[in-house]
């Protein structure tokens, strides 16, 4: 195997095993920053030794063994320094503090380590942007450069953000554990929010050159599956998995040959991934069984996505059911964005005039002032009503508010079409 092949193998193994390695080390050290440093030491050792000695038969075990030795050396060094400081002048043969059984600690089954790591990385003591970055770093295995590129910030800025996040967790003495009791529900909501924000940034990028970033969707799905495996009795976990699987099934159909956006009703449904749809519907059924009569927001959004997944053509979509589901969702989690989506569903079920009435009522919502989809939806409904000049103005407003290059081009094209139709 050539050196370049070996380096690619190291990178692949690292991407797959880093979260488990960091999780196990964090359980031992109770310090995420320290755990990541130890894991990085193991990676550096692999990059140095594997090209010379060959890839070991069990690369993951090799990395864990090296990290374990690094951790043991560090603890011994700290224990020795502590003894010297505390026992200066005492008999050096006096028994010092007991050494922890690192072999047993690190050789235990991974168990809930990954779940602990997710809950720690998504702790509410961190800002939302810090939670996103740290989760992608520790559990997604992305490099600082990759995360910076995903969120369109300079690499040094992202590096500082990650350092601050780990320092904040350390200073706040955030326990490395899965919370219990009432705190679990609150903390789980934070975790699910982070995972879904990562997915959404991949599904419909808020800025940049690409409208979709499948690699972010894949990372979010992987994190969601870890959660589902470790928290099988939580309906909202399965609801989020269902929602992401069903939405991810459309990724190939969402863009054209040049990366241009293709809207839902114009998509070639033959390109939808049927395996992901089946998995999504199965996860939805599981969530519904667990939730009973009290569906949560992710379950309801998954049920909405399922309406589209079950329709063989756009004309077969059950828009009345979708509008009703949005009504339930608006009661569970009141939001102007949910109301905007309900307006779209109402327009499809009852006609554009009914939808436009609801959209106009949202015009004064402060939360939607900079939301490009409000004028975009308004422009679409005005076009359907033949009010092309107003539609063009609405699409032009959407252009000014859109951060994504591909989506901006689509809005500009729709504005031009409306202008032409207005004469």
């Amino acid at each position: 195997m050539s050196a370049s092949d070996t380096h690619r193998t190291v990178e692949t193994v690292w991407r797959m095993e880093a979260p488990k390695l960091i999780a196990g080390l964090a359980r031992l050290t109770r310090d995420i920053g320290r755990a990541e440093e130890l894991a990085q030491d193991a990676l550096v050792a692999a990059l140095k030794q594997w090209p010379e000695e060959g890839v070991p038969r069990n690369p993951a075990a090799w990395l864990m063994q090296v990290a374990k030795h690094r951790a043991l050396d560090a603890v011994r060094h700290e224990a020795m320094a502590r003894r010297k400081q505390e026992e200066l002048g005492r008999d050096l043969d006096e028994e010092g503090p007991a050494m922890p059984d690192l072999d047993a600690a690190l050789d235990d089954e991974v168990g809930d380590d990954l779940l602990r790591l997710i809950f720690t990385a998504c702790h509410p003591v961190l800002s939302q942007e810090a939670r996103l970055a740290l989760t992608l770093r520790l559990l997604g295995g992305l490099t600082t450069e990759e995360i910076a590129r995903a969120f369109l910030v300079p690499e040094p800025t992202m590096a500082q953000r990650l350092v601050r996040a780990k320092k904040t967790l350390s200073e706040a003495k955030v326990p490395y554990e899965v919370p219990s009791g009432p705190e679990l529900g609150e903390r789980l909501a934070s975790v699910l929010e982070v995972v879904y924000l990562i997915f959404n940034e991949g599904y419909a990028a808020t800025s940049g050159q690409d409208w979709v970033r499948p690699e972010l969707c894949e990372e979010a799905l992987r994190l969601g599956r870890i959660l589902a495996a470790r928290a099988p009795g939580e309906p909202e976990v399965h609801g989020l998995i269902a929602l992401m699987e069903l939405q991810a099934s459309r990724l190939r159909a969402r863009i054209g040959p040049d990366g241009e956006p293709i809207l839902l009703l114009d998509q070639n449904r033959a390109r939808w991934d049927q395996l992901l749809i089946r998995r999504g519907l199965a996860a939805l059924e599981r969530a519904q069984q667990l939730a009973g009569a009290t569906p949560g927001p992710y379950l309801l959004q998954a049920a909405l996505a399922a309406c589209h997944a079950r329709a063989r053509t756009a004309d077969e979509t059950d828009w009345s059911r979708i509008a009703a589901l949005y009504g339930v969702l608006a009661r569970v989690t009141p939001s102007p964005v949910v109301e905007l989506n309900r307006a779209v569903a109402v327009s499809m079920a009852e006609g554009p005039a009914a939808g436009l009435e609801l959209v106009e009522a949202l015009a004064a919502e402060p939360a939607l002032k900079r939301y490009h989809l409000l004028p975009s939806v308004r422009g679409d409904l005005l076009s359907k009503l033949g009010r092309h000049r107003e539609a063009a103005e609405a699409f032009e407003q959407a252009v000014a508010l859109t951060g994504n290059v591909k989506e901006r081009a689509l809005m500009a094209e729709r504005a031009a079409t409306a202008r032409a139709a207005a004469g």
Side-chain angles (χ1 to χ4, degrees):
M1 185 180 289
S2 68
S4 60
D5 288 338
T6 303
H7 277 87
R8 281 196 293 272
T9 300
V10 174
E11 290 169 3
T12 300
V13 172
W14 174 255
R15 184 65 67 95
M16 293 171 60
E17 300 298 331
K20 286 183 283 186
L21 184 61
I22 293 170
L25 292 164
R27 169 164 47 87
L28 173 69
T29 64
R30 301 287 161 172
D31 186 326
I32 282 180
R34 182 72 172 279
E36 189 182 13
E37 289 172 6
L38 291 166
Q40 289 283 350
D41 286 346
L43 172 64
V44 170
L47 288 169
K48 180 181 178 181
Q49 293 180 231
W50 292 7
E52 299 173 358
E53 303 172 5
V55 178
R57 182 173 299 178
N58 188 335
W62 190 97
L63 287 169
M64 179 59 86
Q65 191 67 25
V66 170
K68 180 194 303 183
H69 286 313
R70 294 286 199 280
L72 182 57
D73 288 344
V75 171
R76 281 174 176 158
H77 179 76
E78 289 172 4
M80 184 177 295
R82 191 164 53 247
R83 280 201 303 271
K84 286 180 178 179
Q85 185 177 24
E86 294 174 354
E87 301 175 7
L88 186 63
R90 296 184 186 180
D91 185 353
L92 292 177
D93 292 330
E94 184 177 337
E95 184 178 356
M99 291 293 294
D101 187 353
L102 297 187
D103 283 339
L106 281 172
D107 285 338
D108 280 346
E109 179 63 31
V110 170
D112 287 335
D113 280 349
L114 287 171
L115 194 59
R116 292 188 189 101
L117 189 56
I118 292 176
F119 272 92
T120 304
C122 297
H123 196 281
V125 72
L126 299 175
S127 67
Q128 187 183 86
E129 63 179 19
R131 282 181 251 164
L132 283 166
L134 195 59
T135 301
L136 285 173
R137 175 69 171 158
L138 298 178
L139 288 130
L142 274 66
T143 65
T144 303
E145 180 185 3
E146 288 171 327
I147 301 169
R149 189 165 61 245
F151 291 98
L152 302 175
V153 298
E155 186 176 351
T157 300
M158 183 54 68
Q160 291 172 2
R161 190 174 295 173
L162 289 165
V163 168
R164 283 197 302 270
K166 286 179 276 191
K167 185 178 179 182
T168 298
L169 290 175
S170 178
E171 291 177 346
K173 293 182 170 44
V174 171
Y176 183 66
E177 63 185 15
V178 177
S180 58
E183 188 184 358
L184 175 62
E186 178 185 339
R187 291 278 298 282
L188 182 61
S190 173
V191 171
L192 297 180
E193 177 191 28
V194 167
V195 173
Y196 193 43
L197 282 169
I198 292 170
F199 180 87
N200 266 342
E201 185 60 28
Y203 187 73
T206 53
S207 54
Q209 297 289 330
D210 300 319
W211 196 41
V212 299
R213 294 173 180 166
E215 70 281 1
L216 288 179
C217 293
E218 290 167 9
E219 289 300 337
L221 276 165
R222 192 169 68 83
L223 293 173
R225 288 166 187 154
I226 291 172
L227 279 171
R230 302 297 180 192
E234 294 291 338
E236 278 293 82
V237 173
H238 295 282
L240 177 58
I241 284 286
L243 173 58
M244 293 192 298
E245 300 270 20
L246 292 169
Q247 288 185 316
S249 72
R250 307 179 206 145
L251 279 173
R252 288 181 302 186
R254 276 174 63 76
I255 54 173
D258 298 320
E260 69 275 14
I262 301 178
L263 301 179
L264 178 63
L265 298 183
D266 300 324
Q267 289 172 16
N268 177 2
R269 299 189 178 212
R271 300 194 67 201
W272 288 6
D273 189 319
Q274 294 303 311
L275 174 60
L276 285 176
I277 289 175
R278 287 194 296 273
R279 290 173 62 161
L281 293 176
L284 174 58
E285 183 178 357
R286 174 68 175 150
Q288 289 170 330
Q289 290 170 350
L290 290 168
T294 55
Y298 293 111
L299 192 161
L300 288 168
Q301 290 177 79
L304 285 159
C307 291
H308 296 294
R310 292 186 176 113
R312 291 173 298 178
T313 66
D315 290 339
E316 292 182 13
T317 306
D318 189 347
W319 287 106
S320 294
R321 174 168 171 72
I322 291 174
L325 283 169
Y326 270 121
V328 177
L329 182 61
R331 291 194 293 274
V332 172
T333 52
S335 160
V337 174
V338 171
E339 291 294 349
L340 180 61
N341 288 328
R342 186 173 76 87
V344 173
V346 168
S347 76
M348 298 300 294
E350 302 176 19
L356 183 60
E357 183 178 350
L358 296 175
V359 169
E360 299 289 22
L362 295 170
E365 280 288 345
L368 299 180
K369 284 293 184 185
R370 304 291 302 169
Y371 189 52
H372 70 284
L373 290 182
L374 176 62
S376 173
V377 168
R378 186 169 177 272
D380 182 64
L381 297 176
L382 288 167
S383 289
K384 290 177 178 177
L385 291 168
R387 295 161 60 178
H388 300 296
R389 192 177 304 280
E390 294 171 83
E393 292 171 356
F395 285 130
E396 287 161 359
Q397 184 183 358
V399 169
L401 295 174
T402 303
N404 184 275
V405 171
K406 291 291 194 297
E407 197 169 12
R408 190 184 303 129
L410 174 64
M411 292 298 106
E413 180 183 340
R414 300 194 74 185
T417 300
R419 285 282 178 205

